[in-house]
Each structure stands twice: as C-alpha cells, then as structure tokens.
Amino acid sequence: MQPVMSIADLNGFLSEHFPQGERFGVLTGLGDNWAEMTLQVGDEHLRPGGTVSGPVMMALADVAMYAALLGQIGAVALAVTTNLNINFMQKPLPDCDLVARCQIMKLGKRLAVGEVWIRSAGSDEVVAHSTLTYSIPEL
C-alpha cells in the first residue's frame, strides 16, 4: 500500500499538530509501510559524557513510527503510542546525525505494530532498536 500522504503534506501536518516533534527529527523518507527520520544532533540532545540521551532516541523512534503510520492511514492526530520498547545497542558516533528507519510490521483497524532501527548517519551499525504499538482511533 503506497502512502496516502506525501512527505511535504506529512511534514506540514506534523508542524501544525505536533510542532515539538521537530526537536526529535525531520521526516526525510516515506514509502510503503515505512518512514525515515533524521535528527540533527545538537547540544540539547546530549547527556553527560557527550552521547545522545536515551529519551531523545526514544522520542526519535516514536515520531518515526507516528510518521510511518500516518503515511498509511492519513492525518489521524489521535493515533497514540500504547507501547514502546527500546534496546540501546551501542553509543552513537560523536558529532553525527541520527537516522531512524521505521517499518510497520502489522497495520490493523485499531492497532499498528512497527520496528525502528536507529543508526548514526553514514554507518550501518544499529545504535538502538525499538518496537512500538500504536492505537488507532475509530475513524
């Protein structure tokens, strides 16, 4: 199933309805049950020790899943996270953007399940892996 929203439409929707999400990434790719977000890492994303904080990577994974889902079902603002599990695999590369790729594994009428892999830009090594479940309101 091809996306029902374009990257421009979805970025516009996110800016209007979820402007705080821009702190956790920008939509850079959208396709058949997938989305890609890129986070330009800044000082506000770092924890002591100079690495990207866990909550920032969790937010990036969550917004990537939200984008992938809305790309398939349209502008449904009240689709919400019901579960998020994340494993931090290794420290991200220093001074490097993060790229999150979400793949929807199951899209039903009321629930969607997806996986997100987060990497440092330019690297194939996974720094975090997340599984998420979203609740979809009755349309």
Side-chain angles (χ1 to χ4, degrees), residues 3 7 10 14 26-38 60-72 99-104 115-117:
I7 291 175
L10 191 46
L14 291 171
V26 175
L27 181 65
T28 54
L30 188 64
D32 181 17
N33 283 316
W34 66 269
E36 188 172 273
M37 304 282 296
T38 299
L60 175 60
D62 195 23
V63 176
M65 175 66 182
Y66 190 55
L69 178 59
L70 296 190
Q72 296 303 305
V99 178
R101 172 81 177 216
C102 176
Q103 179 69 47
I104 295 177
E115 253 184 310
V116 178
W117 298 267

Side-chain angles (χ1 to χ4, degrees), residues 46-52 91 94:
L46 302 180
R47 64 176 297 275
T51 189
V52 178
K91 185 176 177 179

